[in-house]
């Protein structure tokens, strides 16, 4: 891995390089995606089935688009029983964590005759997009579905592309069943996102779309936002390790590569105050890369977006980490909890040498659907709140309103909204 000194120039160059990975930079695909959305919106199932035949080489009809109970039962027979038990334990951890995020509706009555409050209601229908083929990740099924279940969403549907044989990845089906998905449909790509956003004869319209996908899926979610809520327009995966001289270079290298193997656009960055650690990590990375199955992807990822930055002080390192606002951040310092208090921007923080990033991907419980490309400055991980609507409640008695009606009328008149003022005034004529 390249080792560079951390300063304003190198940090600025790094930030510009990382921004090239944003889905906002793929404008050349937008017309294709918009055309697909328009056709599905206008023609419904007809367009959906045509695109499935074109892109997935599979003939889907209204009769076979929905996954049957028999297909789910068959999937259980194709998935290793030990893996099924691991998924169940992971689901328990995810559910337990997300239950802590629940909020109740609240109402505050006052003696002056007012009642103010907030009513919390889950969305009616939530839709999950799940990639197919080699990019099928059962862990993402659990992470997308279980917060919605905890929130109390009454109907959860899932779309995922079929293979040419009309089959869906069995691991995906088992994970969906464990998580409690209500309906599964064989549809992928931008056309599946459009189907969930606007509805077709076979696929219901949803209120929220979550889940990862390729650039066409990401751009389709972006284009449909406003007609439907989405989790985010996710970019490529990334990890930032913040370390001092106490860190184990072998652990650091292994953790950096855990994200570099995702794809050529993934980013792996180490920021350290130790030149010695930087050199050792670089050597360990070279050694691991030779042994790992996704060697070519890792090499390309590190060539494009892999960095080891050597900072003069830990404060400098922390400032840079906050500016980068990484999706995943590991803190491997002498006192990681103290360091963590200074971190303002990160999707998820992993503290100490036994809290490696894959723990969060699969098992610990916090959501692994995280803000990318610096958006941790203002976005949060997927959570229960994403599936809840908050409605304000206002109730005033005549006595309560009589004490403030002149204030309201004055405010409205100053804004030139005389009908607003009159709405209050008529009650005291």
């Amino acid at each position: 891995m390249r080792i560079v000194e951390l300063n304003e120039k190198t940090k600025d160059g790094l930030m510009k390089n990382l921004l090239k990975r944003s889905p906002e930079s793929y404008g050349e695909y937008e017309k294709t995606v918009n055309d697909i959305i328009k056709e599905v919106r206008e023609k419904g199932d007809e367009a959906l089935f045509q695109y499935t035949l074109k892109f997935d080489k599979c003939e889907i009809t209204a009769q076979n688009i929905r996954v049957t109970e028999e297909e789910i039962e068959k999937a259980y027979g194709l998935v290793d029983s030990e893996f099924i038990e691991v998924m169940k334990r992971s689901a328990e951890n995810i559910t337990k964590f997300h239950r802590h995020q629940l909020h109740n509706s609240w109402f505050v009555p006052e003696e002056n005759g007012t009642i103010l409050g907030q009513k919390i209601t889950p969305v009616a229908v939530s839709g999950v997009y799940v990639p197919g083929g080699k990019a099928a990740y059962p862990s993402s099924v659990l992470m997308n579905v279980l917060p919605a279940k905890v929130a109390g969403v009454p109907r959860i549907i899932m779309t995922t592309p079929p293979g040419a044989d009309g089959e869906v990845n069995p691991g995906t089906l088992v994970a969906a069943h464990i998580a409690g998905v209500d309906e599964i449909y064989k549809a992928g790509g931008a056309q599946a996102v459009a189907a969930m956003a606007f509805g077709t004869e076979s696929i219901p319209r949803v209120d929220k779309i979550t889940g990862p996908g390729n650039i066409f899926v990401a751009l389709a979610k972006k284009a449909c936002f406003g007609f439907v809520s989405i989790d985010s327009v996710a970019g490529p995966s990334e990890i930032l390790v913040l370390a001092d001289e106490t860190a184990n270079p072998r652990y650091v290298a292994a953790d950096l590569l855990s994200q570099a193997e995702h794809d050529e656009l993934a980013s792996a960055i180490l920021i350290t105050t130790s030149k010695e650690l930087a050199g050792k990590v670089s050597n360990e990375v070279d050694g691991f890369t030779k042994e790992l199955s996704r060697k070519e992807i890792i090499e390309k990822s590190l060539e494009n977006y892999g960095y080891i930055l050597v900072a003069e002080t830990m404060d400098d390192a922390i400032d840079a980490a906050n500016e980068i606002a990484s999706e995943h951040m590991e803190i491997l310092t002498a006192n990681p909890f103290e360091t963590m208090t200074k971190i303002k921007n990160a999707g998820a923080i992993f503290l100490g040498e036994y809290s490696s990033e894959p723990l969060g991907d699969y098992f610990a419980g916090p959501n692994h659907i995280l803000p990318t490309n610096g958006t941790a400055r203002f976005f949060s991980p997927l959570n229960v709140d994403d599936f809840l609507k908050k409605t304000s409640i206002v109730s005033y008695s005549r006595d309560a309103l009589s004490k403030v009606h002149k204030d309201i009328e004055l405010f409205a008149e100053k804004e030139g909204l005389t009908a607003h003022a009159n709405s209050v005034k008529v009650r005291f004529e």
Side-chain angles (χ1 to χ4, degrees), residues 194-399:
M196 287 191 283
F198 299 104
T200 72
E201 295 88 339
S202 296
I203 296 180
R205 180 181 178 181
V206 306
D207 302 306
K208 179 101 183 186
I209 299 176
T210 66
N214 61 19
I215 188 60
F216 295 98
V217 171
L219 289 175
K221 286 167 70 178
K222 178 184 174 186
C224 292
F225 177 66
F227 296 99
V228 65
S229 177
I230 65 171
D231 49 355
S232 64
V233 182
S237 190
E238 55 201 32
I239 186 170
L240 187 152
V241 178
L242 193 60
D244 61 16
E245 70 282 354
T246 66
N248 184 317
R250 192 165 173 80
Y251 295 172
V252 174
D255 294 352
L256 290 170
L257 297 180
S258 72
Q259 296 308 293
E261 77 168 344
H262 269 293
D263 61 58
E264 291 87 348
L265 294 175
S267 168
I269 299 170
L270 165 64
I271 306 180
T272 180
T273 51
S274 170
K275 291 181 180 179
E276 182 180 355
L277 179 73
K280 288 181 178 179
V281 169
S282 182
N283 291 336
E284 292 285 358
V285 164
D286 292 341
F288 277 131
T289 302
K290 293 173 184 176
E291 304 169 2
L292 294 169
S293 61
R294 296 168 72 88
K295 177 176 180 286
E296 292 182 6
I297 291 174
I298 289 171
E299 288 178 338
K300 197 69 176 175
S301 168
L302 295 179
E303 178 186 337
N304 291 332
Y305 304 107
Y307 293 86
I308 296 176
L309 304 174
V310 180
E312 279 194 28
T313 68
M314 183 52 66
D315 284 342
D316 290 339
I318 290 169
D319 286 345
N322 279 325
E323 198 163 335
I324 293 168
S326 185
E327 176 189 19
H328 305 99
M329 181 183 294
E330 289 188 9
I331 300 179
L332 301 174
T333 59
N335 191 338
F337 283 89
E338 181 183 349
T339 306
M340 180 267 293
T341 63
K342 301 176 182 178
I343 298 300
K344 300 174 183 175
N345 304 321
I349 301 174
F350 301 81
L351 302 173
E353 62 182 9
Y354 294 105
S355 304
S356 62
E357 187 279 335
L359 180 66
D361 274 350
Y362 299 114
F363 207 75
N367 212 289
H368 78 197
I369 298 162
L370 304 166
T372 58
N373 270 97
T375 59
R377 292 180 295 111
F378 44 82
F379 279 146
S380 304
L382 188 71
N383 61 84
V384 168
D385 277 353
D386 285 303
F387 301 94
L388 297 172
K389 300 175 288 132
K390 300 176 179 69
T391 304
S392 300
I393 303 296
V394 180
S395 175
Y396 268 53
S397 67
R398 178 178 175 82
D399 285 346

Side-chain angles (χ1 to χ4, degrees), residues 20-30 33 129 189-190 193 212-223 233-236 265:
K20 295 176 185 175
R21 304 155 59 249
S22 169
E24 305 295 334
S25 303
Y26 292 94
E28 68 265 31
Y29 300 112
E30 286 187 353
V33 168
Y129 182 86
V193 174
N214 61 19
I215 188 60
F216 295 98
V217 171
L219 289 175
K221 286 167 70 178
K222 178 184 174 186
V233 182
L265 294 175

Side-chain angles (χ1 to χ4, degrees), residues 38-51 191 195 199-202:
K38 182 175 183 290
E39 198 160 353
V40 171
R41 190 176 181 183
E42 292 175 353
K43 298 182 180 179
D45 274 356
E46 179 188 345
L48 181 64
F49 299 156
Q50 287 175 351
Y51 281 119
Q191 59 272 22
T200 72
E201 295 88 339
S202 296

